[in-house]
Amino acid sequence: MTEAPEHHRREALPVSPALEDSMAAVHMPRRTRMLNARVLRIVLLAIVLGVAASVIAKVLVALIGLITNLAFYGRWSTTFVNPTTLHLGAWVIAVPIVGGLIVGVMARWGSTAIRGHGIPEAMEQILLNESRVPPRVTWLKPVSSAIAIGTGGPFGAEGPIIATGGALGSLLGQLLHVTADERKTLLAAGAAAGMAAIFSAPVSAVLLAVELLLFERRARSLIPVALATVTATGMRYMLMGTAPVFPMPDVALATLPALGMYTVFGILVGLVSIGVTHATYAVEDTFEKLPVHWMWWPAIGGVAVGVIGYLMPSTLGVGYDNITAIISGHLGLGALALLCVAKFTSWVVALGSGTSGGTLAPLFTIGGALGGVLGIAVASWWPVLGVDPRLAALVGMAAMFAGSSRALMTSVVFAFETTQQVHGFLPLLAGCAAAYLVSGLLMKRTIMTEKIERRGVRVPSEYSDDYLDRFTTGEVCTREVVTLRVDQRLADVLQWFVSGDTRAHHEGFPVVDAQDHLVGVLTRRDLLAPKHDPEQRLARLICRPPAVVNKNHSLREAADHMVDCDASLLVVVEAGDPRRIVGVISRIDLLKAHSRRLYEARVPRRHLFGTGRE
């Protein structure tokens, strides 16, 4: 530690009351804690959301059943049934058109937030609006989606309930006194609980929240979300039973050659997922060019849904039975290929028109049918490889979602939880990882992020540890500290500034007493302020407590403390003595700490048999 030169040494000055306060009230950062007592409150609220989401899921399924029965069978019943053309004939074409018209009216005079499949909209609210979803979306989204699906829309019920659960969590977070981070956790808990309640898939629901909504994996957010999904799944067992959502015959353990083929299937499905994503937004762009108000677009999209549904009724509605038939091996090669193309066409036009519905079930249907086609073909041509067409369909189902959304672990675990096929884990991991790899290399954005990134929203794509949390301030701080003394005259310091001494170029200087104890910090702006009398001693200029960190604080804590204190320089002190200076740390020092991270990420080197080349 070095001192600035003193031109005139005077007798020590008495310390002013303000200075005594600044010495006694040094600003130390809050220590980062993994969990605190507030988490218990959020946990309790998340459990409440789990109960509510499961009830809403039950009501939504009943509402879809009611609208389906009214629209296609002319009867009053909440039984969940598949739409058919049996009772309507060609008039079935009009049903999705009417449903689209109603949704368009609700979007225009209710809320535009009901348009689309919900997850991108939730992402946008998290990233830009502190997770504040408009309250009316809580009931408009499920009602509009039930109308769209109940009138034949080729969507799953999971998208609307995910959006509704998230809106409910956001609403709860807006009614109560919580932070924006806690409100984000409640939104994610509600959304994950909705998915768990529909699919009985609690672990994949948690992973979906982590990969697509939370953009983090911290205990204070992970625990509430996990308990919300556990609650919702337990409620589902009570309300809807415990059977797998997509039951299928047991499959055998995959051989090594079969695993290789499932990986190849993942690559092929990953390529198709890129085309599916681009096609979805190409159709949306086409609707944008139509010379009619967007309110009419869902009705126009309903024309395609109705025509395709008339020709192939299995494309209408949620199609969960289709998924079960695909992965159970009940469909032949031609039926699978036709279902894949027809479902894709109907869904991509409907979604691009801006109606209300989900993406998960359609993607699973399209990917499962494609995987089934590939599995049947390979099993017929090269039976020696041991490929099971049912397992190939399961891999295709999950790989399509992994490639489209890049929610890798969600895709793998979801396929397991909804089928309970333990032997499918390894093929699923291989196929989904391959699809993710292809998608990541060849597609910049995903089906979940394309819409909002076009509007300028930056969506995190990777979650890594906080590099600044690895190091302490004592490891990184500058230990050659230039200090000033409390009894120096301001005039002498100003003369030193213009002397050409390089030590005078710092932006801030710790001020110490005769025992080298920290008293305060003065910046160049403080010292150059014209209001001060040049004859004043520096002790009289200190008007605020010094911002300090001890040498055991992490760089993350130091960076946060700089923001809290609006300081560009922190004094690093001994852990047991907040007045004993160890060094100083600046914003530039924090940035320089990243040099090692960049080196590790960018510079290839050989460490055995020579140093190699960079």
Side-chain angles (χ1 to χ4, degrees), residues 125-372:
Q125 296 303 318
I126 288 171
L127 294 169
L128 297 184
N129 198 32
E130 296 185 346
S131 306
R132 292 176 296 189
V133 178
R136 59 186 179 275
V137 175
T138 308
W139 66 270
L140 281 173
K141 184 65 178 180
V143 172
S144 64
S145 298
I147 292 171
I149 298 169
T151 55
F155 305 107
E158 69 290 332
I161 187 57
I162 289 172
T164 303
L168 183 62
S170 173
L171 176 61
L172 190 61
Q174 293 175 72
L175 290 172
L176 301 176
H177 195 262
V178 299
T179 67
D181 261 3
E182 290 168 337
R183 187 162 49 249
K184 177 178 72 171
T185 299
L186 291 174
L187 186 156
M195 179 175 174
I198 285 290
F199 285 125
S200 189
V203 179
S204 55
V206 173
L207 294 171
L208 179 82
V210 170
E211 294 184 304
L212 298 181
L213 295 174
L214 289 171
F215 308 112
E216 64 181 23
R217 197 202 63 78
R218 294 188 294 180
R220 64 187 183 187
S221 54
L222 190 64
I223 292 172
V225 172
L227 292 177
T229 63
V230 169
T231 304
T233 305
M235 289 290 294
R236 177 196 161 82
Y237 290 162
M238 293 175 57
L239 297 173
M240 305 180 194
T242 60
V245 177
F246 304 131
M248 63 180 292
D250 290 338
V251 294
L253 192 66
T255 62
L256 186 60
L259 280 175
M261 286 309 304
Y262 296 137
T263 306
V264 173
F265 293 165
I267 294 173
L268 297 176
V269 174
L271 291 171
V272 174
S273 73
I274 297 172
V276 167
T277 302
H278 289 323
T280 301
Y281 289 99
V283 171
E284 186 173 296
D285 293 340
T286 301
F287 273 97
E288 293 278 356
K289 298 174 184 177
L290 293 179
V292 294
H293 193 277
W294 57 258
M295 180 188 77
W296 304 102
W297 297 353
I300 297 172
V303 176
V305 174
V307 171
I308 296 172
Y310 174 65
L311 298 173
M312 191 170 182
S314 59
T315 62
L316 295 170
V318 295
Y320 293 157
D321 289 347
N322 292 335
I323 297 175
T324 301
I326 290 169
I327 60 178
S328 298
H330 294 163
L331 300 180
L333 184 64
L336 287 170
L338 185 59
L339 177 60
C340 180
V341 174
K343 186 72 173 185
F344 164 73
T345 306
S346 177
W347 168 73
V348 77
V349 174
L351 187 65
S353 71
T355 192
S356 182
T359 59
L360 275 71
L363 287 173
F364 295 150
T365 303
I366 296 165
L370 178 58

Side-chain angles (χ1 to χ4, degrees), residues 573-604:
V573 297
E574 289 288 350
D577 186 355
R579 298 179 62 192
R580 179 65 63 186
I581 300 175
V582 173
V584 293
I585 192 163
S586 66
R587 292 175 180 173
I588 294 177
D589 293 326
L590 292 176
L591 292 175
K592 286 181 178 178
H594 283 283
S595 61
R596 179 175 170 182
R597 175 180 64 84
L598 296 177
Y599 172 84
E600 291 175 352
R602 297 177 179 176
V603 180

Side-chain angles (χ1 to χ4, degrees), residues 472-531:
T472 64
T473 56
E475 294 176 287
V476 175
C477 69
T478 300
R479 293 181 178 260
E480 293 297 322
V481 184
V482 179
T483 61
L484 303 174
R485 289 196 173 273
V486 293
D487 57 355
Q488 283 184 266
R489 289 190 316 146
L490 175 60
D492 295 335
V493 176
L494 296 178
Q495 183 178 349
W496 174 56
F497 278 177
V498 297
S499 67
D501 190 335
T502 57
R503 295 176 300 168
H505 296 165
H506 298 298
E507 289 300 315
F509 303 91
V511 182
V512 298
D513 60 16
Q515 288 76 41
D516 285 333
H517 289 164
L518 175 68
V519 174
V521 175
L522 291 173
T523 65
R524 291 181 68 88
R525 178 180 295 181
D526 296 330
L527 295 166
L528 295 174
K531 64 181 180 180

